Amino acid sequence: PPVALSSGPRRVKSSIRIGTRGSQLALYQAELVKTRISQDFPLVTVEIVKIKTSGDMIRRGGTAPFETKRIYTREIEDALLKSEIDLAVHSAKDLAAIMPDGLKIGAVLEREDPRDCLVSRDKKKLSELPLGARIGTSSLRRKMQLLRWNAELIVEEIHGNVDTRIRKIDDGEFDAVVLAYAGIKRIGFGNCVSEIFPEDTFYPAPGQGVIAVQSRVNDQEVDEILEPLHHALSGKRLDCERAFLRRLEGGCQLPCGVTTAVHNGRITARGALFATEGHEWVEQRIEGTLDQAAHLGENLANLILANGGRVILEKIKQNVRPTLRHPERSEGSQL
């Protein structure tokens, strides 16, 4: 039953169960949310529940560009809808563009650095890698941007957690890998980074670097607990970026990127969509007030579609391969 806390008149649940994937990064993020809740509500018992998702057993290259079937979140979201857990912690970029009925993003933690980074042998930067260098990534967005920078690179699929991917460099399988800087920082591998790519030349994924806490609609007791965790500016930026992805009908593997910034109450967004064949891309920029965040994201996508992006999307749809799954562990799109 709810208990009244001596620190104020609010009534909240006496215990909270946090659902999460079992990867090192996912557990770090869940522990961060647990710590924040415990600090704000010391009388609430917080438990972390590990849940295996279909995305944890996915074949190399198995995620299609328009995959919106919640491959890294479905089982966790189902547990949330069944009240087997009280909230779920995700890397925001793993969330489907359209939220399942009955669920919402209840809180967004302050955003970590959204940029991508390079980890390479001998700490070489991208410009210092030899022609034909082999670079590992599980992301179409990163692959197409790497080839835009240098068409002579060999970009191949790589899966596994951070130390597994880095070990493949040491073993000579790859010359470098590209990862999300936020994820690699969070689990203490920041010293391995050779280069951090600027957002204006290497577009991050929508929501990259954001920890999102998912909850049930109309769960007021959980809303009370999540309210102190929410970082409003990060939430507005995420609203913009998710609206951008939603308008492009994209899943976590659509080769699009977006970067947002807030200054003096205004939000600026720049986005790009990359072809999966050839070296075509469309990029656009838009600016407006914070209360227009989601509307701006949608309009940014409309600008891209109207200026060549629709043709790129149609070509991608024609070449989409079916999603295949295989019992091979993956750290997920969050890296």
Side-chain angles (χ1 to χ4, degrees), residues 96-292:
I98 299 176
M99 193 74 62
D101 290 340
L103 299 183
K104 65 180 181 179
I105 296 179
V108 171
L109 273 62
E110 184 171 5
R111 189 174 204 161
E112 179 58 90
D113 195 316
R115 294 175 294 175
D116 285 296
C117 67
L118 185 78
V119 177
S120 66
R121 189 178 298 111
D122 301 324
K123 288 288 187 77
K124 288 183 178 178
K125 295 184 177 181
L126 190 59
S127 61
E128 298 170 337
L129 293 176
L131 293 178
R134 298 181 65 209
I135 302 183
T137 176
S138 59
S139 162
L140 269 177
R141 171 187 58 83
R142 292 173 182 147
K143 176 180 179 178
M144 302 324 298
Q145 292 191 90
L146 287 166
L147 294 177
R148 178 176 75 149
W149 186 86
N150 184 348
E152 300 299 321
L153 294 171
I154 299 173
V155 185
E156 298 183 345
E157 292 278 348
I158 187 172
H159 291 273
N161 54 30
V162 173
D163 55 342
T164 298
R165 299 187 195 195
I166 293 175
R167 187 163 58 247
K168 290 183 178 182
I169 299 174
D170 296 334
D171 292 344
E173 294 184 49
F174 291 91
D175 297 293
V177 297
V178 178
L179 302 165
Y181 185 47
I184 206 169
K185 277 179 63 180
R186 283 172 179 149
I187 60 174
F189 281 82
N191 62 326
C192 297
V193 173
S194 311
E195 181 179 8
I196 304 171
F197 299 133
E199 292 176 70
D200 57 352
T201 57
F202 203 99
Y203 287 89
Q208 186 157 297
V210 175
I211 297 174
V213 185
Q214 194 177 35
S215 60
R216 289 182 292 272
V217 173
N218 299 324
D219 191 336
Q220 295 182 353
E221 291 178 336
V222 170
D223 287 345
E224 289 278 3
I225 286 175
L226 295 183
E227 184 180 358
L229 273 68
H230 185 62
H231 188 260
L233 290 183
S234 298
K236 288 294 186 182
R237 292 175 65 187
L238 183 61
D239 287 344
C240 179
E241 295 174 21
R242 283 180 56 78
F244 171 78
L245 181 64
R246 195 158 48 241
R247 180 64 185 91
L248 292 179
E249 305 173 39
C252 62
Q253 275 285 36
L254 185 71
C256 70
V258 62
T259 176
T260 55
V262 175
H263 184 65
N264 290 335
R266 295 183 66 80
I267 185 168
T268 301
R270 295 177 63 247
L273 177 67
F274 303 93
T276 54
E277 294 183 350
H279 302 290
E280 298 175 330
W281 70 88
V282 179
E283 51 191 330
Q284 294 288 325
R285 178 186 181 278
I286 199 168
E287 181 180 343
T289 58
L290 273 174
D291 59 357
Q292 298 175 305

